[in-house]
Amino acid sequence: MSITRPQSRRTFLKSGAAVAAAALVRPRSGFAGTDNALQITPPLSQFGYGDVELLSGPVREQFDRNHKFYLALDEDSLLKPFRQRAGLPAPGDDMGGWYSWAPLSDLDKPGNNGFAPGHSFGQYLSGLARDYAATGDKATQEKVHRLVDGFAPAITPHFWDENRFPAYTYDKISVGMIDAHEFAGSTQAFKALDVALDSVMRYLPPGPLSRAEQNARPHTDVSFCWDEPYTLPENFFLAWQRGASNRYKEMGKHFLADSWYWDPLAAGENVLPGKHAYSHVNAMSSAMQAYFVLGDEKYLRAARNGFDFVRAQSFATGGWGPDEEFRAPGSGEIGESLAKTHYSFETPCGSYAHVKITRYLLRTTKDSRYGDSMERVLYNCILGAKPIKEDGHGFYYSDYNNNGSKFYHPYKWHCCTGTFSQVTADYGISSYLRDDEGVYVNLFVPSRATWKRGSDHVVLTQHTEYPYRPTTQIEVAPDKATAFAVFVRIPEWAGPKTTIAVNGKYAATSPHPGQFARIQRTWKKGDRIEVEFDMPTTLQAVDPQHPQLVAAVHGPLALFAVGEVPATIHRQELAAAAQVAAGSTEWQVKTSSGTITMWPFTAINDEHYRLYLNV
């Protein structure tokens, strides 16, 4: 089947600025000169992947399960879609589902989708590179190197013929290659990155086209209008920062969606309704990178405003975008979705985009409420995702329907199998941040952070069963007495009885919810911080148009009713939901019509449940 290809390279280059065109047209070796300094350095910096060790607990268990799963993927099968189009020997089984080639006429046949061949290769590579950096596992590093070496000769322009999503797929290849270079030490990754960019250039959309703009152009069918060129700048800018040539910076600038996205968002106009949810939140990370690289405050305003619009229509879990679409404020469509769809939140993809943008914004603003938002998605969404099956069937949607359940997507190797590898790999770097003053404790997960402070070596170890027990203990162990600050996130929901003690001595004043509590002292080995959170249970309406439909939220945990739900529930009864025992994953609500059993999302397996109850 013939398709209408994107504009030629010559037409494409004419559409950008002259300086961008000059950089785009010339092939480069993939290595930059010296002019790659950021205009804006965020106040908080990330730890290295290897500087944070996840300790025993649910977060570590999910990390290990995913690492083992992706490490076991067959390399020939992963490379097969690329080798087939390059005319190379292509051993290995077809992975099927979205990942393998299939005739366009077969798209809707069960088990043979062929929707986006090779689309998630770069994400699997990225996740493995990050896993290697976090664990130091040599077999993981070797697999990353083999995949890069196998990919480079297999990516040719023929791969992009009849490919719906050249920008989307290239973007994933890009993050895989720059992560293989940065985190797994692949010396061939930038060369492969250059080859991939050269192969896709004339197939890319001519600029950061919206879906509506793509739809207005000639196309084979509507699925060819779902590409995501507006997400490209983040990884173009990151490639340049990590040492790729200046053409990557210019490409990042070229694909900034100023006219229809960043300019209106920066001006406070909510342009999200009707847009694809995940990709437009993912694109907000491009705005943050544009802010760092170009120094234009517009992009920071756009990202902050855009994320505020997202939060304003989020579910109590922190998830958003029923049926993968943002809704108009005041429409009541969020509440109506509870009876209309089981596709409430695109969980691994949405969680990855959410954690990324909150980490960017937290690093830039030091506003602890971005950490609050991150942890809500962690405990209520991604940590409760079902494991990927060996055949590639993966968890896609969280279901907040009035008769909800956890289910696998019918097609194999869909987009969420790619982002799942990356979001769990990032758990460690999301847990702690630092600046010249000290270290910021953002997530309360069993973990150990290690860093150098000047010539001093410091280890911070966190022991906790949070949020099922409302406490965390943080041990501070410098190799010699050292003065610095430990900043502990106090969630906005925290009640007035929240306390912080150092070596058993309580602070004179209560910490302030919605801020980082600053603990400044000269630390010595054996010092201990103990935080006890006052965790209230609040009721949160699904939207202002449905004030009677509420979810019970205990601290950061949304609670789901499992089993029978009485016909009549009073607001004060639901607000009195009580944990059956300290550390338990079960809450109970006593009503005049009977007892309701409630669980967090992580405790649910195949049970049917209900998040929002009619009070």
Side-chain angles (χ1 to χ4, degrees):
M1 181 181 295
S2 64
I3 63 170
T4 301
R5 290 182 178 171
Q7 297 177 9
S8 69
R9 180 182 294 192
R10 177 176 295 178
T11 305
F12 175 28
L13 293 175
K14 285 182 178 179
S15 67
V19 65
L24 291 171
V25 74
R26 293 193 298 270
R28 300 296 182 94
S29 66
F31 298 95
T34 57
D35 186 21
N36 60 351
L38 295 178
Q39 294 295 314
I40 301 291
T41 300
L44 296 181
S45 60
Q46 292 181 179
F47 280 75
Y49 282 90
D51 295 334
V52 181
E53 177 189 3
L54 298 173
L55 303 179
S56 180
V59 171
R60 178 61 190 245
E61 289 169 9
Q62 192 182 57
F63 172 92
D64 284 343
R65 185 168 58 243
N66 269 7
H67 182 196
K68 181 180 178 181
F69 177 85
Y70 291 105
L71 182 60
L73 292 179
D74 183 79
E75 293 166 29
D76 285 330
S77 294
L78 288 171
L79 291 165
K80 189 164 188 172
F82 306 99
R83 287 170 169 167
Q84 286 173 321
R85 286 301 177 98
L88 297 173
D93 294 331
D94 280 331
M95 292 175 68
W98 283 25
Y99 197 84
S100 298
W101 290 103
L104 296 180
S105 58
D106 288 351
L107 292 185
D108 294 325
K109 292 182 180 179
N112 188 24
N113 186 252
F115 186 61
H119 68 105
S120 48
F121 171 82
Q123 292 173 305
Y124 303 150
L125 185 65
S126 166
L128 285 168
R130 298 176 191 191
D131 285 346
Y132 163 69
T135 64
D137 178 66
K138 194 67 176 176
T140 304
Q141 183 188 38
E142 291 170 351
K143 187 182 188 78
V144 169
H145 288 199
R146 288 193 301 270
L147 287 171
V148 171
D149 294 347
F151 174 82
I155 185 66
T156 70
H158 295 298
F159 178 76
W160 307 105
D161 289 332
E162 294 193 341
N163 192 313
R164 288 174 183 75
F165 313 118
Y168 174 94
T169 304
Y170 170 76
D171 190 42
K172 312 314 174 193
I173 291 169
S174 175
V175 72
M177 294 302 156
I178 64 177
D179 284 356
H181 163 83
E182 184 78 0
F183 304 128
S186 170
T187 59
Q188 301 302 309
F190 274 7
K191 295 177 182 178
L193 180 67
D194 273 350
V195 172
L197 181 55
D198 289 340
S199 77
V200 78
M201 281 289 287
R202 73 186 184 97
Y203 296 84
L204 290 175
L209 302 184
S210 67
R211 288 193 171 188
E213 290 171 332
Q214 292 178 76
N215 196 60
R217 291 160 51 84
H219 53 272
T220 301
D221 62 47
V222 69
S223 67
F224 282 81
C225 305
W226 297 343
D227 205 4
E228 300 173 3
Y230 42 86
T231 70
L232 286 166
E234 180 190 18
N235 289 318
F236 275 136
F237 286 139
L238 280 171
W240 171 75
Q241 290 169 50
R242 293 176 181 179
S245 66
N246 279 333
R247 72 164 168 164
Y248 290 88
K249 177 181 178 182
E250 299 304 330
M251 288 287 275
K253 290 159 63 176
H254 181 82
F255 280 99
L256 286 169
D258 289 339
S259 63
W260 61 269
Y261 203 31
W262 306 130
D263 287 345
L265 281 181
E269 179 185 352
N270 187 355
V271 292
L272 291 178
K275 288 183 170 56
H276 181 246
Y278 159 64
S279 65
H280 287 83
V281 174
N282 192 36
M284 292 176 189
S285 291
S286 286
M288 291 304 299
Q289 279 296 331
Y291 172 59
F292 298 157
V293 170
L294 306 177
D296 189 337
E297 291 273 349
K298 171 181 73 177
Y299 295 109
L300 175 60
R301 291 197 308 274
R304 294 187 71 168
N305 290 343
F307 190 70
D308 284 345
F309 293 142
V310 171
R311 285 194 295 185
Q313 61 169 265
S314 294
F315 293 101
T317 62
W320 30 262
D323 291 323
E324 302 190 28
E325 186 177 289
F326 286 119
R327 308 306 175 93
S331 66
E333 292 182 8
I334 303 298
E336 291 169 6
S337 75
L338 303 178
K340 291 183 175 181
T341 185
H342 292 275
Y343 301 161
S344 302
F345 178 49
E346 193 179 356
T347 301
C349 284
S351 297
Y352 179 58
H354 195 106
V355 169
K356 261 201 312 175
I357 187 59
T358 50
R359 193 168 61 238
Y360 275 130
L361 288 168
L362 176 55
R363 290 179 59 202
T364 303
T365 66
K366 296 188 179 182
D367 188 336
S368 67
R369 289 172 294 183
Y370 293 115
D372 296 354
S373 184
M374 183 191 297
E375 89 166 355
R376 184 165 290 209
V377 165
L378 170 65
Y379 292 116
N380 301 313
C381 300
I382 190 61
L383 202 55
K386 280 180 170 285
I388 303 176
K389 293 184 177 181
E390 287 188 10
D391 66 359
H393 282 99
F395 189 75
Y396 196 126
Y397 295 110
S398 291
D399 178 9
Y400 307 142
N401 189 277
N402 292 333
N403 182 25
S405 65
K406 290 184 178 181
F407 55 91
Y408 284 97
H409 196 277
Y411 291 131
K412 301 188 299 182
W413 305 113
H414 50 69
C415 55
C416 285
T417 67
T419 46
F420 202 6
S421 72
Q422 294 173 293
V423 68
T424 56
D426 284 359
Y427 282 158
I429 65 164
S430 298
S431 299
Y432 302 93
L433 299 164
R434 58 183 174 175
D435 63 8
D436 290 341
E437 287 191 86
V439 61
Y440 289 69
V441 181
N442 181 46
L443 296 180
F444 307 115
V445 298
S447 51
R448 179 176 294 113
T450 305
W451 74 101
K452 292 278 288 184
R453 183 169 173 80
S455 60
D456 301 324
H457 181 263
V458 184
V459 178
L460 185 152
T461 305
Q462 190 172 184
H463 302 283
T464 184
E465 295 178 45
Y466 179 97
Y468 308 111
R469 294 181 187 270
T471 62
T472 191
Q473 179 176 292
I474 303 165
E475 297 174 0
V476 185
D479 54 7
K480 62 181 180 181
T482 308
F484 61 92
V486 176
F487 297 85
V488 178
R489 180 176 58 83
I490 306 300
E492 198 168 27
W493 49 256
K497 296 181 181 179
T498 298
T499 60
I500 297 178
V502 178
N503 297 333
K505 183 177 180 180
Y506 287 95
T509 58
S510 297
H512 296 287
Q515 297 181 18
F516 281 98
R518 187 177 192 273
I519 309 167
Q520 174 73 49
R521 61 182 279 122
T522 297
W523 300 95
K524 61 184 184 301
K525 189 173 295 186
D527 282 345
R528 185 180 71 256
I529 302 169
E530 293 174 300
V531 186
E532 185 164 349
F533 299 96
D534 181 4
M535 277 193 185
T537 299
T538 59
L539 304 184
Q540 299 182 13
V542 65
D543 60 25
Q545 291 70 42
H546 297 86
Q548 81 285 1
L549 286 174
V550 300
V553 181
H554 182 74
L557 281 177
L559 301 178
F560 295 73
V562 180
E564 294 296 321
V565 176
T568 302
I569 307 169
H570 295 289
R571 188 175 294 269
Q572 62 270 29
E573 293 171 339
L574 187 57
Q579 197 174 17
V580 297
S584 174
T585 58
E586 181 174 322
W587 276 255
Q588 290 187 347
V589 176
K590 306 292 185 180
T591 78
S592 56
S593 304
T595 299
I596 304 173
T597 298
M598 307 195 80
W599 293 348
F601 197 57
T602 52
I604 295 169
N605 292 304
D606 298 320
E607 300 83 1
H608 281 245
Y609 55 78
R610 182 166 178 168
L611 173 60
Y612 287 93
L613 304 179
N614 196 351
V615 295

